Amino acid sequence: MNHHVDHFFVKGDPMIYAADLMIIMTTLAVIFVLTYYKKWKWLWNEWLTTVDHKKIGIMYIIAAVLMMFRGGVDALLMRAQLTVPNEDFLDPQHYNEIFTTHGTIMILFMAMPFIIGLMNVAVPLQIGARDVAFPYLNALSFWSFFTAAMLFNLSFVIGGSPDAGWTAYAPLAEPELDPGVGQNFYLLSLQISGFSTLATGINFFVTILKMRAPGMSMMKLPIFSWSILVTSAIIIFAFPILAIALALMTFDRLFGAHFFTLTGEGLPMMWANLFWLWGHPEVYIVILPAFGVFSEVISTFSKKRLFGYKAMVWSMVLIGFLSLIVWVHHFFTMGAGPDVNSFFSISTMAIAIPTGVKIFNWLGTMFRGRIQFTTPMLWSLAFIPCFTIGGITGVMLAMAAADYQYHNSYFLVAHFHFVLISGTVFGCIAGLLYWYPKMFGHMLNEKIGKWAFWLFVPGFLICFLPMFFLGLDGMTRRVYTFSNSHWTDLNVIASIGAALMGIGFMVLVYNMIWSARYGKRDKTGDPWDGRTLEWATPTPIPHYNFALIPRIKRLDEFWYVKQNNEPSVLRSLPVSKLKPIHMPNSSGRPFVMSWLFFIVGFAAVFYVYWVAALALIGVLVCMGLRSFEIDDGHYVSVEEIKRTEKNRIKEA
Amino acid sequence: MSEQNQSRNSDGRDFPWQHVIGFILSIVLTLLSLWIAFKTSLSTGMIMAIIIGFAFLQAAVQLFMFMHVTESEDGRFQMWNMVHAFIAFVIIIVGSIWVMSFGMSYMNHM
Ligand code: HEM
Ligand SMILES: [Cu+2]
C-alpha cells in the first residue's frame, strides 16, 4: 500500500482527464439507457448469465471491436507523434505507455477475443453440435477475459499504464527499473485472461474431438474447425508457459523474489526465453484461425470445394508443430551460440514451406471458380499478396546473421504488421462479415462495406510499406521521436496511411449501425449459399442449434444435399423424429466469479493483500458451490421445437 | 461421459481407496526427495538422478491414481495426450536449457 495509493488517480495530463470524463459519461449513459428502457432484467437473463456459445461469441466480438478502437487510438497517437522530427506532442514516458498498451491490447485483448468470438459462433454449428463441451466453463472464460480487459484498461486512468513494451523484458520490467504499479496491471490482467484462453483451448479441443455429428470423420471436418483444433492444441501447449512466466515475474514484483532480476542470482534472459516460448506460438494462435476463415470464404465465394483440403489440413498441423520450435528467432542477438541460432534460423524458414502450400491451395480454389466479389471475399483476396510480403520479409528476418542488422528496426515493425494485420485482422473482419447474417439475422450493406475495404487496405499499405525502408535506413523501433530529416517524408506518408485505416475502421463500424436499422433481413439462414452446416440452421438460430442432429456422409455435406435435392434433416424436419432436447441452464456464477477475479487483480496491483485474499476466498466459495450444485439442465419440449421450426417441419 | 461415471459410482459409494493411496504415496515420495536432498551426503549428480526418478514415479501415481488414464473408453486420446505432454516437456525444458546454456557459466558461483 503506502505511497502507491497516493498515486491512485493519474493526474496532470489533459488527455487523461478527458478519458476520466469519457468513462464517467459512458457509464452514466449506459446506466440511464438500461434503466429508462427497463432492460436490466433482460440484460441479466439473456446475456450476463447465458451459457449459449452463440451469445458468448457475440459478446467476445463486441468486446474485441471496442478494444480495436482503443488500440487504434493508441496507434494513431503514436503515428501523430512520429510524423515529423522532434515533435513534443507526447513525452517519452507517455509514448512508452502508449506503445506498450497498444501492443498488449491488440494481441491479447483484440486479436485473441476476436478469434475466440468467431470460433464460439461458428465451430459448434459447423460440427453439428448443440453446444460446446463445457458451456459453463465457456461463460467463465468470457467473463474472466472481459474483467481482465477492464483491469488492463483501467491502468490508463488509475495507477498508471505499463511502459516496458508488450514483451515486458526483464530487467526493464522489474521493480528496480520500473517502480509504480503499471507493470503489475500487465502481469495480473494477462494472468487472468491467460487462464481464460487456456480454458477456451481445452474446451474447444474437447468439443471438436468429441461432439462432431455422427459420420463426420476428421477428414470431413470443415476447415475452419480444423484450424481451431490445431489452434487449441497450440494454446494448450503455450499458455501454461505464459502463466508460469507471469507468476514468476509477479513474485519478483510483489514479493521481492529474484527470478529475473539482475541481482540475487536472477536470470533476466530467462524471461525473454519463456516469453517467446509462449509468444511465438501465440502469433500462430492468432493466424491459423484466420487461415481457416479465408479457406471457408474463398471456397464459398468461388463456388468450389476447397482445393487440396488434405494438404491444407496437414500443412496446418505442420505449421502448428513448427511454431513450437522457432521461438529463439525473437532474440538471435541475445548471445546464444551459432549452433542455437542456426537451428532456430532453419526451423523458422521451414515454416514458409507449409505456408506456401496453403497460398497455392487458395489460388487453386479460385482457379476456374465462379468468383463472387462480396466484402468477405475482398478481404480474403487482399490477404494473399499482403501476407506474402509479410512472409518473405519474415524469411529475411529469419536469417540469424542478417537479423543483427534488422533487429529492433522499423523493418521488423513493418514485417509483423504485415503478417498480423493482413493475416489476423483481415481474417477477423472477413469472418465477421461472413458470419454476420448468421449472428444478427440481417445483411451488412455491401456498398458501405466496400468503402470500408477500399479505405482500410490501401491505408494499410501506405502506412506500413514505407516502414520497411525506414528500417533499412536505420530508424529503430520504440523511439518516441527522431531528428533525422531524411526520414520525414516516409513518416508523413505512413501517418497518412494510418489515418486512412482509422477512417476505414469507422466506416466499418458505421456499416453495422446502419445495417442494424436498414440492412436487408435474412430469413433463409443461408444468404451466401453456403457449404457447411452452420448455413443449414434457421436464422435466428434456435438456442439448441439443431432440432435433429444430421448424419454426415461427406465434406461440405450441406452443399451436396442442396445441389442434389437430397432428402435430409438439414433441409426439412420429419416431425415424427423430434425428441425433447437437453440443454444446460444459465448461471450467474461465472459473471460473479470473474468480477471477484477482477478484485483479486486490482487489489494485488496496489499491494493491498487482505482485499485480494478476501476476493480469492470468494472465488473459492464460488467453485465450492459449483461442485456441490446438482444442475441437470433442462429439456426443450417437442412443442417448443415445433413452434420454433414451423417453417421447416415436414409432417410425416 | 455421464454414463461412464454412473456405472463407476453405482457399485456403491465405497471409500475412494485409490485416491487415498495415491495421496499418501505422493506425500511419501515428496518427503523422501526432501530427505535425500537435505539429509544425505550423496553427490549432487546422484541426488539429481534419484529425485528425477522420484518425479517420474510421482507422475505415474498422479496419472493412474487420480487421472484415470486406464479408465477411458478411448485410450487413443490418452495416448495422444501423453505424446503431447512429452513433446511439450522436451521442447520447454530441454530447449530452454540448450538455448540458455551460453549464460550458465554465470551460475558457477552458486
Ligand atoms: C512466414 C512466416 C514468418 C516468419 C519467417 C517470421 C519471422 C520473424 C522473425 C525472424 C522475427 C524477429 C525479428 C527480430 O526481432 O529482429 C519476427 C517477429 C515478429 N513476428 Fe514474425 N514471422 C512469420 C510469421 C508471423 C506471423 C504469422 C505473425 C503473427 C500473426 C508474426 C508476428 C510477429 C511479431 C508480433 C513479431 C515481433 C515481435 C517483437 O515485438 O519483437 N510473424 N518474425
Ligand atoms: Cu516468432
Side-chain angles (χ1 to χ4, degrees), chain A residues 30-49:
Chain A
V30 170
I31 293 176
F32 175 77
V33 169
L34 287 172
T35 313
Y36 187 82
Y37 292 101
K38 301 200 171 57
K39 289 287 186 193
W40 284 105
K41 220 177 149 146
W42 165 84
L43 184 69
W44 178 258
N45 289 336
E46 296 290 318
W47 295 94
L48 304 191
T49 60

Side-chain angles (χ1 to χ4, degrees), chain A residues 209 233 241 265 269 273 277, chain B residues 77 84 92 96 99-100 109-110:
Chain A
L209 287 180
I241 308 176
E265 318 252 312
M269 297 298 190
N273 182 60
L277 253 166
Chain B
F77 284 125
H84 191 236
I92 299 170
S96 292
V99 169
M100 297 298 301
H109 57 270
M110 258 176 71

